[in-house]
Amino acid sequence: MKYFLILFFFVSQVAIAQTPLTYINSNGDKHLAGPFELDDLRKDTTYSGWFESNYARFQLKGEDTSWKSSFEQTEVEIYIGTWCGDSKRWVPQFVKLWNELGLDENQLKFTALYDGEEKYKQGPNAEEKGKQIHRVPTFIFKSEGKEYARMVEYPRNDLEKDLAQIAVGFASEPNYRAATYLLDLFEKEPMDSVWKNVNYHLGEVYSLVGKEVELNTLGYVFQYSDRMPQALLTFQFNTLIYPYSPRVFSSFGDALRISGDKEAAITAYQRVLALEPKHENASAQLKILKPD
């Protein structure tokens, strides 16, 4: 009886360990959160439909794939959102390419991040912390525990070419260069140092940014991970680069309001209404902040 109980406990613990964490988002949809196994995407009907259809989309084009041997000692950390269209599209295709190259699926480590405001693009145990994750999917290539390349959200060229370039040591620079610049900056320098050279940093970001959504998304990543000074500066940079965008001023206003700077928030919301008189969020917030 004693041995039966020990065996039952062991089997139960294994079963628990293999069960991925899920949550229901604000739309009522079930999603993964935290580390999970590839079979969770393949076998759970919540995800298997989009996984299989996008897996089938990829077809290996190159005849010479001798470069694949460079990945034999590589581990790839893959951060995804099962709620994210780009994750649904590119993660299955990446897995298909990996399989077509004859590489081991055990080299792929998957982590799912939340989509809600409280833990926006975060894992349940802060698995993304220190990894500079601001877009999903993010593929981090590691050798002996050290990152040597990454792909962010979607390929710079095409999936096969990007992987080949990584293999031969000439990886394309990841997407979202302005966001990467700020992530590196905030990791290396305290905010008082950043502010001393703020005009220089604004110029660098201006030269690298692609679209207004790049910094807007990054600002929310900072805001919802308790890095409000970084969020405020990111949103402010965005308003200076895109001075005619109601969206970026609305995001800046929200961050100012949350941080307790009422007067600056009012100014930001007024700018929103000057650009878009029927903007719902700005109108609603001004009624609260300035009821008269």
Side-chain angles (χ1 to χ4, degrees), residues 9 13 63 66 77 114 133 174 177 183 197 210 243 271 282 286:
F9 177 78
Q13 290 302 105
E63 295 181 3
S66 57
E77 294 182 359
Y114 291 109
I133 306 297
R177 294 184 300 158
L183 285 162
N197 297 290
R271 175 62 176 166
L286 280 174

Side-chain angles (χ1 to χ4, degrees), residues 34-261:
F36 66 92
E37 300 296 326
L38 185 54
D39 275 353
D40 295 320
L41 297 181
R42 288 184 170 130
K43 296 180 179 180
D44 190 323
T45 55
T46 306
Y47 323 108
S48 59
W50 56 258
F51 181 86
E52 294 301 335
S53 63
N54 283 298
Y55 185 92
R57 288 178 64 175
F58 180 82
Q59 299 295 325
L60 192 65
K61 294 180 291 187
E63 295 181 3
D64 180 10
T65 59
S66 57
W67 46 265
K68 66 185 181 183
S69 61
S70 297
F71 292 120
E72 290 177 356
Q73 302 302 317
T74 290
E75 179 179 274
V76 187
E77 294 182 359
I78 304 174
Y79 294 84
I80 85 167
T82 53
W83 39 268
C84 165
D86 287 298
S87 293
K88 293 177 182 180
R89 178 179 181 184
W90 293 112
V91 170
Q93 292 191 63
F94 182 92
V95 173
K96 176 72 172 294
L97 171 55
W98 200 257
N99 289 337
E100 291 286 304
L101 294 173
L103 296 167
D104 189 348
E105 284 186 357
N106 290 324
Q107 295 171 254
L108 309 179
K109 308 299 179 183
F110 297 89
T111 302
L113 306 181
Y114 291 109
D115 64 333
E117 291 184 358
E118 290 185 6
K119 282 186 172 289
Y120 182 58
K121 293 184 181 175
Q122 299 175 56
N125 294 300
E127 290 87 352
E128 82 301 331
K129 191 172 183 179
K131 304 291 181 68
Q132 297 192 350
I133 306 297
H134 61 101
R135 292 274 174 168
V136 287
T138 291
F139 304 82
I140 301 177
F141 296 76
K142 288 186 168 183
S143 178
E144 297 181 350
K146 295 183 179 180
E147 177 180 344
Y148 69 90
R150 73 169 56 195
M151 294 193 302
V152 179
E153 195 172 65
Y154 58 90
R156 287 298 298 269
N157 305 286
D158 66 63
L159 198 55
E160 187 173 337
K161 184 175 181 180
D162 279 17
L163 210 62
Q165 288 179 330
I166 290 171
V168 299
F170 292 96
S172 294
E173 192 171 0
N175 298 309
Y176 304 108
R177 294 184 300 158
T180 299
Y181 178 88
L182 286 176
L183 285 162
D184 287 338
L185 175 66
F186 295 149
E187 184 174 295
K188 295 174 182 176
E189 296 189 29
M191 287 305 294
D192 57 348
S193 176
V194 172
W195 274 105
K196 288 178 182 177
N197 297 290
V198 69
N199 289 332
Y200 171 81
H201 297 309
L202 174 60
E204 291 296 299
V205 171
Y206 179 83
S207 70
L208 296 171
V209 72
K211 298 180 180 179
E212 65 182 55
V213 69
E214 177 175 356
L215 296 186
N216 232 44
T217 297
L218 180 63
Y220 284 124
V221 169
F222 289 137
Q223 179 176 318
Y224 294 123
S225 58
D226 297 322
R227 291 176 283 179
M228 188 58 82
Q230 292 85 346
L232 287 168
L233 184 56
T234 301
F235 285 131
Q236 187 172 8
F237 275 5
N238 219 20
T239 64
L240 295 170
I241 297 170
Y242 297 99
Y244 301 105
S245 170
R247 172 166 56 180
V248 302
F249 277 94
S250 180
S251 297
F252 188 34
D254 288 344
L256 289 165
R257 172 178 52 80
I258 293 168
S259 69
D261 194 340

Side-chain angles (χ1 to χ4, degrees), residues 4-22:
F4 174 78
L5 290 174
I6 292 173
L7 178 62
F8 176 80
F9 177 78
F10 175 76
V11 172
S12 299
Q13 290 302 105
V14 170
I16 291 171
Q18 292 177 340
T19 302
L21 178 65
T22 61

